[in-house]
Amino acid sequence: NFMLTQPHSVSESPGKTVIISCTRSSGSIASNYVQWYQQRPGSAPTTVIYEDNQRPSGVPHRFSGSIDSSSNSASLTISGLKTEDEADYYCQSYDSTNWVFGGGTKLTVL
Amino acid sequence: EVQLLESGGGLVQPGGSLRLSCAASGFTFSSCGMSWVRQAPGKGLEWVSAISGSGGSTYYADSVKGRFTISRDNSKITLYLQMNSLKADDTAVYYCAKGVRSSSWYEADYWGQGTLVTVSS
């Protein structure tokens, strides 16, 4: 099994852009899709990106996903930050029989 | 509109059993893989189990293998999780989640609101 490593926390000001990274410990990041989930305090998770860079219906274009084989990592980019974006963000991928979650990144918008 | 509504959570003693249900609406249920994901108090997300759209393929985390059983009734548009031999470590909010397509047991695009399972004497 591999691990996904995320920064514990990031912070940025409203209107700015933030990038949250997710680094895969072994195996290629490109070999399995990466998803990103947002969880606001006290709420259920919601999906902001699936299959590396796809947005579910209703997710603003401010959210985008990408993968970088050179660093073996995935990234979630949130542009035009709003206070409502303050939440925990989890990356997720999988192997042949298991999901793997990153530890989560707490985004503070201040 | 996609809706997933979990039920069946509650307080159970160690060693006991519980069955969770997830009633789905707003999409073609049989065309989507489904999963259960849990979150212990103050902790991150942990995948529990997944099932293909037809129900023919199932997957389990090592932590629950042999104790939990995932199933689905496509005629009733409902996902289930039978949990046996429950331990204190199983205490968590359990979420059901919808996959994008029948074979996509490995991802989620919509989530339910969760049901709390507490294992305690």
Side-chain angles (χ1 to χ4, degrees):
Chain A
N1 279 7
F2 60 92
M3 294 192 305
L4 296 173
T5 300
Q6 302 178 233
H8 289 296
S9 63
V10 295
S11 61
E12 191 49 271
S13 303
K16 301 292 189 180
T17 296
V18 71
I19 300 174
I20 300 173
S21 63
C22 172
T23 302
R24 178 166 170 158
S25 62
S26 61
S28 172
I29 191 71
S31 60
N32 305 97
Y33 289 127
V34 175
Q35 285 59 243
W36 290 91
Y37 306 117
Q38 176 194 69
Q39 188 175 34
R40 296 188 174 108
S43 296
T46 63
T47 302
V48 291
I49 294 290
Y50 68 95
E51 294 180 358
D52 296 341
N53 54 20
Q54 302 299 302
R55 279 183 304 275
S57 173
V59 173
H61 285 71
R62 303 187 296 107
F63 290 83
S64 63
S66 62
I67 61 169
D68 179 358
S69 295
S70 65
S71 59
N72 213 35
S73 64
S75 294
L76 173 67
T77 300
I78 311 172
S79 59
L81 274 170
K82 300 183 177 184
T83 55
E84 68 202 46
D85 298 331
E86 189 161 289
D88 292 327
Y89 291 85
Y90 295 89
C91 62
Q92 176 260 320
S93 191
Y94 54 96
D95 60 21
S96 58
T97 57
N98 293 279
W99 287 31
V100 178
F101 279 104
T105 298
K106 181 176 179 59
L107 169 62
T108 302
V109 182
L110 36 65
Chain B
E1 179 192 6
V2 172
Q3 291 195 346
L4 300 168
L5 184 60
E6 301 94 335
S7 60
L11 175 63
V12 60
Q13 293 188 339
S17 298
L18 215 52
R19 187 176 85 154
L20 306 183
S21 300
C22 172
S25 62
F27 65 101
T28 305
F29 184 68
S30 59
S31 295
C32 296
M34 298 292 295
S35 300
W36 289 98
V37 175
R38 68 185 180 184
Q39 187 171 37
K43 302 295 185 182
L45 299 175
E46 179 190 14
W47 173 73
V48 173
S49 184
I51 188 168
S52 62
S54 66
S57 298
T58 57
Y59 308 84
Y60 296 94
D62 287 344
S63 58
V64 307
K65 204 170 292 184
R67 299 188 300 123
F68 290 12
T69 302
I70 190 171
S71 63
R72 62 192 298 160
D73 187 333
N74 286 345
S75 66
K76 293 184 178 179
I77 321 179
T78 303
L79 175 72
Y80 302 101
L81 185 68
Q82 177 67 44
M83 304 186 294
N84 298 331
S85 303
L86 282 161
K87 309 173 183 178
D89 285 350
D90 297 318
T91 295
V93 175
Y94 284 73
Y95 299 102
C96 73
K98 167 191 168 297
V100 175
R101 56 190 69 82
S102 180
S103 59
S104 56
W105 62 272
Y106 47 79
E107 63 188 355
D109 59 355
Y110 289 93
W111 298 68
Q113 289 305 300
T115 186
L116 176 62
V117 173
T118 303
V119 184
S120 175
S121 55

